[in-house]
Amino acid sequence: MSQPRGVAVPIDSIGIAAYTIPTDAEESDGTLVWHSTTLVLVSVRAAGQTGTGYTYAGSAAATVVCDQLAGVITGADALSPPARWADMVHAVRNLGRPGLVAEAIAAVDIALWDLRARLLDEPLTVALGAVHEATPIYGSGGFTSYDNDTLCRQLAGWVEEGIGRVKMKVGRDPAVDAARVAAARCAIGAATELFVDANGAYRRKQALDWAQRFAEQQVGWFEEPVSSDDLEGLRLLRDRGPAGIDIAAGEYGYDLPYFQRMLDAGAVDCPQADVTRCLGITGVLKVGALCDARGLDLSLHCAPQISAHVGTALWHLRHLEYFHDHVRIERMAFDGVLHPEPGGVLRPDRGVPGHGLAVKAADLERFRVF
């Protein structure tokens, strides 16, 4: 039964856990190599309902939730996530908001939105004010640690699922990038959109050269050709790169001022935002408003099982990164996950309250680190 509207519902308690899950193979991009991913899971309870949120961060984010955030929201109204968000942002002033602290707030904020929707017996997409029925996705992985056969098999697999956009990593070894991209294009065919992500591996002039080479393979998206902190470099690539390639960055944005600076600099054709990093659902909706004011599309970064719901509420939404590692982990961690539909979209289920995910705690226990 849903809660009467207009009546505050106090938050009873908060649960926190963290799980470090090995990758299914070594993963690397242009600047980093990793063998595991840590999922920080938050549950917020009120009036017999539980909301669930999460972030991909170090286990120290769980400590931030436990020591700094739980006491701030316990006893407060569960029906007002934006107010709780403001309480948390205020409380962490002396900790340093960008980075780990922002990720901790994101996990709690997601849980609060899920809890509110469940208390009111609403699907999360409806609670957020959806303007789209579904969220377009692109398959993402293509790690530099993959040989060409593995790379092509993964990308072609997404195409077979009906996903018409795929992304691969570049930049670790420029000597082989051209051959890898050519192999990828051959595997996916001419009709599929091909994206590349350098994770800031190139220098400015080097990135300009590679942009021209990638254009020859009909690459339409060049993500972080230089560091996302190099706004002048990104603007240079946007202004002087091939007309058919969009420059993208923003996945390392943790708060609104970051995105304000990036947009003011005219640094990207399409900014990215990660709901598990930039202060949660409340934070992403604010980033969306910045993009709306400029008529710019916003692309969502990773965490597809929550981002799919948030994407429906973004007016100038372009797409969502359907990231191999997160897809695998979220299928391990939750029942009720969304699967790609024809046309390459994730469609939230409007027949269930909240985001519809249920934690498979027993399956995760062997990975628990907090």
Side-chain angles (χ1 to χ4, degrees), residues 224-292:
E224 286 194 308
V226 296
S227 168
S228 57
D229 293 325
D230 182 7
L231 298 182
E232 290 183 358
L234 290 170
R235 177 63 185 264
L236 173 73
L237 268 292
R238 186 187 183 195
D239 287 347
R240 295 180 56 187
I245 294 183
D246 277 355
I247 301 302
E251 67 183 74
Y252 300 113
Y254 293 99
D255 59 7
L256 216 56
Y258 171 97
F259 291 97
Q260 181 71 39
R261 291 191 296 271
M262 177 173 280
L263 296 176
D264 283 349
V268 293
D269 294 294
C270 183
Q272 300 167 279
D274 187 323
V275 69
T276 71
R277 288 179 180 165
C278 69
L279 301 171
I281 293 172
T282 304
V284 167
L285 294 179
K286 293 178 185 296
V287 175
L290 289 179
C291 293
D292 293 342

Side-chain angles (χ1 to χ4, degrees), residues 4-289:
R5 296 187 182 267
V7 178
V9 180
I11 294 168
D12 298 325
S13 61
I14 300 174
I16 308 111
Y19 307 93
T20 296
I21 302 170
T23 56
D24 56 2
E26 179 179 278
E27 296 178 356
S28 66
D29 56 34
T31 54
L32 194 67
V33 178
W34 64 98
H35 299 88
S36 64
T37 300
T38 299
L39 174 73
V40 177
L41 197 63
V42 173
S43 56
V44 182
R45 292 175 282 273
Q49 295 284 352
T50 300
T52 303
Y54 59 94
T55 187
Y56 292 99
S59 58
T63 301
V64 174
V65 176
C66 183
D67 293 351
Q68 303 294 330
L69 304 179
V72 173
I73 67 169
T74 300
D77 184 12
L79 296 178
S80 301
R84 305 290 74 77
W85 180 89
D87 292 341
M88 291 188 290
V89 170
H90 176 77
V92 302
R93 186 197 68 182
N94 292 346
L95 293 182
R97 185 175 62 229
L100 195 72
V101 173
E103 292 170 329
I105 291 175
V108 179
D109 182 74
I110 293 166
L112 287 167
W113 276 105
D114 182 43
L115 176 59
R116 179 190 183 277
R118 291 174 189 261
L119 287 167
L120 298 178
D121 197 28
E122 287 183 337
L124 182 57
T125 181
V126 173
L128 296 177
V131 292
H132 312 288
E133 291 291 325
T135 295
I137 60 174
Y138 64 89
S140 171
F143 303 110
T144 57
S145 49
Y146 287 174
D147 60 29
N148 279 10
D149 287 343
T150 304
L151 168 71
C152 293
R153 186 165 55 250
Q154 185 184 68
L155 270 56
W158 285 317
V159 177
E160 291 171 3
E161 289 186 62
I163 301 172
R165 299 161 289 270
V166 298
K167 188 175 80 178
M168 59 182 288
K169 301 291 190 180
V170 295
R172 175 154 298 274
D173 183 358
V176 301
D177 276 344
R180 292 179 69 248
V181 172
R185 170 52 72 194
C186 182
I188 64 175
T192 301
E193 295 182 56
L194 180 60
F195 302 167
V196 297
D197 183 359
N199 289 95
Y202 297 129
R203 300 181 301 276
R204 292 183 186 181
K205 290 182 179 179
Q206 188 182 25
L208 272 173
D209 177 57
W210 276 107
Q212 293 293 340
R213 297 193 199 187
F214 293 146
E216 295 172 5
Q217 295 293 346
Q218 291 79 52
V219 170
W221 171 278
F222 196 176
E223 185 174 328
E224 286 194 308
V226 296
S227 168
S228 57
D229 293 325
D230 182 7
L231 298 182
E232 290 183 358
L234 290 170
R235 177 63 185 264
L236 173 73
L237 268 292
R238 186 187 183 195
D239 287 347
R240 295 180 56 187
I245 294 183
D246 277 355
I247 301 302
E251 67 183 74
Y252 300 113
Y254 293 99
D255 59 7
L256 216 56
Y258 171 97
F259 291 97
Q260 181 71 39
R261 291 191 296 271
M262 177 173 280
L263 296 176
D264 283 349
V268 293
D269 294 294
C270 183
Q272 300 167 279
D274 187 323
V275 69
T276 71
R277 288 179 180 165
C278 69
L279 301 171
I281 293 172
T282 304
V284 167
L285 294 179
K286 293 178 185 296
V287 175

